């Protein structure tokens, strides 16, 4: 049986605190968006639809140089933006795979993208997402103050996320009537009882949102060196 088609969608949106689009930050020459295109297209088998804001559409389109389509979303929630992307892509079968990526996670290893897509080879799986272990201390606030939370079962979710089109359409329909539905496609899928598989993610998949993140990405690529003070002995 032929594998279901893959619809890659890349979110290249402004930061929540302004109009700057992190995906347009240069990283060793190419922007984050341009670095993302090749590996994602290779994994998905086709160029993605890149969704951005109306104010950034010209810059994003120029950066794409005809390699992919760009769509200006009219704002709103994440799920609403994904709904606009799906409408723009046109109708398709329920088993079609929608691969949602964030352009600021351009250093996500191709193996992670492949693992997410491979997870949907299992017909019992409705969606897949990469995740990494939580290393920071987590506290729960209760009537007796703060208590430590066991981190062994916790994961930080990353991108890309793969969902069967039928599930995403169900999520988009539910957002109009369910005020408790989370504005995140994976959390919403879990809310609706979908079978979501978490695959091994990578610390390289962290989002680059500002100059600090850009510097850390440059170090990861060997384009800069870490000048942080070394810890003192005995510290």
């Amino acid at each position: 049986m032929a594998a279901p088609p893959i619809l890659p969608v890349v979110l290249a949106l402004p930061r929540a605190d302004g109009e700057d689009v992190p995906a347009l930050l240069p990283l060793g020459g190419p922007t984050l968006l341009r670095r993302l295109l090749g590996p994602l297209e290779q994994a998905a088998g086709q160029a993605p639809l890149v969704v951005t804001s109306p104010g950034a559409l010209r810059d994003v389109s120029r950066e794409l140089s005809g390699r992919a389509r760009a769509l200006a979303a009219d704002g709103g929630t994440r799920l609403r933006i994904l709904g606009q992307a799906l409408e723009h892509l046109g109708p398709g079968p329920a088993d079609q795979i929608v691969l949602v990526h964030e352009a600021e996670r351009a250093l996500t290893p191709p193996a992670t993208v492949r693992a997410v897509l491979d997870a949907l080879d299992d017909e019992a799986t409705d969606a897949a997402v990469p995740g990494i272990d939580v290393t920071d201390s987590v506290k729960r606030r209760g009537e007796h103050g703060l208590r430590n939370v066991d981190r062994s079962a916790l994961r930080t979710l990353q991108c890309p996320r793969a969902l069967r089109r039928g599930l995403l359409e169900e999520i988009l329909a539910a957002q109009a009537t369910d005020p408790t539905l989370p504005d995140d496609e994976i959390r919403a899928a879990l809310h609706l009882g979908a079978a979501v598989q978490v695959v091994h993610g990578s610390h390289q998949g962290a989002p680059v949102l500002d100059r600090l993140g850009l510097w850390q990405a440059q170090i990861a690529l060997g384009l800069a060196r870490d000048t942080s003070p070394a810890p003192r002995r005995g510290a």
Side-chain angles (χ1 to χ4, degrees), residues 36-207:
L36 179 75
L37 288 179
L40 184 62
E41 184 175 350
Q42 184 176 5
Q46 62 175 307
L49 172 67
V50 180
V51 185
T52 189
S53 66
L57 181 61
R58 178 179 297 179
D59 290 337
V60 168
S61 297
R62 184 185 302 118
E63 190 63 25
L64 294 175
S65 301
R67 292 179 59 185
R69 293 174 291 169
L71 171 67
D74 62 7
T77 65
R78 181 180 175 100
L79 290 181
R80 180 178 175 182
I81 290 172
L82 288 178
Q84 293 175 55
L86 209 60
E87 182 178 356
H88 182 83
L89 289 168
D95 67 340
Q96 202 168 40
I97 295 174
V98 182
L99 184 67
V100 182
H101 211 343
E102 296 171 353
E104 55 266 28
R105 298 180 184 268
L107 298 188
T108 301
T112 301
V113 181
R114 191 71 261 163
V116 169
L117 291 172
D118 287 346
L120 267 72
D121 287 344
D122 182 354
E123 294 183 358
T125 300
D126 300 313
V129 58
I132 57 175
D133 293 341
V134 174
T135 56
D136 294 334
S137 176
V138 179
K139 307 288 184 181
R140 183 189 301 276
R141 185 174 62 185
E143 59 181 11
H144 301 297
L146 297 177
R147 294 181 178 273
N148 287 326
V149 174
D150 181 9
R151 298 172 300 186
S152 62
L154 300 180
R155 298 292 183 272
T156 297
L157 300 185
Q158 300 180 308
C159 281
R161 288 99 177 271
L163 302 89
R164 300 195 189 278
R165 183 178 184 132
L167 170 61
L168 183 55
E169 290 176 341
E170 181 183 353
I171 290 171
L172 296 175
Q175 69 175 333
T177 58
D178 186 353
T180 66
L181 190 72
D183 185 35
D184 177 277
E185 61 276 14
I186 293 299
R187 292 173 56 205
L190 293 169
H191 181 86
L192 295 180
V196 178
Q197 183 174 337
V198 180
V199 304
H200 289 295
S202 169
H203 289 283
Q204 295 179 20

